[in-house]
Amino acid sequence: MPTTTHRRERRRLLAGAAAALCAPALLFPRRAVANQTARELAFVHTHTGEKLSIVYAEGGRYVPAALTAIDRLLRDHRTGDIHSIDPKLLDQLTDLATATGGDRPYEVICGYRCPATNAMLREHSHGVAQASLHLSGQAIDVRLPGVPLDRLRDAAIAMGAGGVGYYHQSDFVHLDTGRVRRW
């Protein structure tokens, strides 16, 4: 039977080993470890004509002023309502451009959508979800010039990072940070 001192030493050794294994994950979030370089995006909003090219993360940290500028660009273009955009969505867009070799600005069809706009769109067309992730800044409808739409869709699906909708007739792909699914 081990002595009390022996058990304490063993617990201390196991606790130290566990801490050593977990420390990198606690000190460096997945994105920070995966990418210490600057992350940037470029957009052209198809409804407003506004353009934005911006570094939104540096050294694994998001740049608050850049996120504010992106929130403004991706506002509800019908009402002017602004909502914060999920930074994970921006990371998806960056990863998608890298995966497809896209080097031109994303053409934005829809970013944030306020409840009134979402309700209006539901009345006039089918396929608009009542609890759309556009309402919480977790979805975007885009195309990437120079990248065929089906290739953009396939690359987004392969990333497995959230929902992917393919709207061939309307010429855009929907991306969101919700559960992984496709339509």
Side-chain angles (χ1 to χ4, degrees):
M1 177 137 198
T3 65
T4 303
T5 305
H6 183 256
R7 282 191 299 243
R8 259 189 247 139
E9 289 299 316
R10 184 174 167 199
R11 268 188 249 141
R12 191 176 319 165
L13 178 66
L14 290 172
L21 288 172
C22 295
L26 296 172
L27 294 174
F28 304 104
R30 186 178 75 83
R31 276 279 168 213
V33 171
N35 191 352
Q36 290 291 330
T37 61
R39 295 174 66 79
E40 62 184 301
L41 283 167
F43 301 102
V44 175
H45 200 293
T46 61
H47 296 285
T48 66
E50 293 171 280
K51 298 177 182 180
L52 178 66
S53 181
I54 197 161
V55 172
Y56 72 91
E58 294 180 299
R61 297 185 188 271
Y62 296 111
V63 179
L67 296 180
T68 299
I70 292 170
D71 294 346
R72 185 182 186 297
L73 179 86
L74 299 181
R75 71 191 178 278
D76 185 322
H77 70 273
R78 290 173 180 86
T79 65
D81 291 359
I82 297 173
H83 190 283
S84 60
I85 300 299
D86 185 351
K88 292 177 191 168
L89 186 61
L90 305 178
D91 293 336
Q92 281 184 24
L93 291 168
T94 301
D95 294 345
L96 186 57
T98 300
T100 60
D103 61 356
R104 294 173 54 195
Y106 276 101
E107 293 179 355
V108 177
I109 289 79
C110 182
Y112 169 68
R113 204 184 287 156
C114 76
T117 295
N118 199 66
M120 181 272 297
L121 291 173
R122 279 183 54 78
E123 287 178 17
H124 293 97
S125 65
H126 55 55
V128 176
Q130 184 172 358
S132 170
L133 291 177
H134 286 280
L135 294 164
S136 56
Q138 294 177 272
I140 192 166
D141 299 334
V142 294
R143 57 183 164 254
L144 188 54
V147 178
L149 202 61
D150 58 343
R151 188 163 154 238
L152 191 66
R153 173 206 58 205
D154 293 346
I157 290 169
M159 288 182 354
V164 179
Y166 180 60
Y167 296 90
H168 179 71
Q169 296 289 6
S170 300
D171 193 29
F172 69 83
V173 171
H174 165 99
L175 302 170
D176 67 52
T177 60
R179 63 183 170 76
V180 176
R181 65 209 188 288
R182 65 182 181 184
W183 61 95

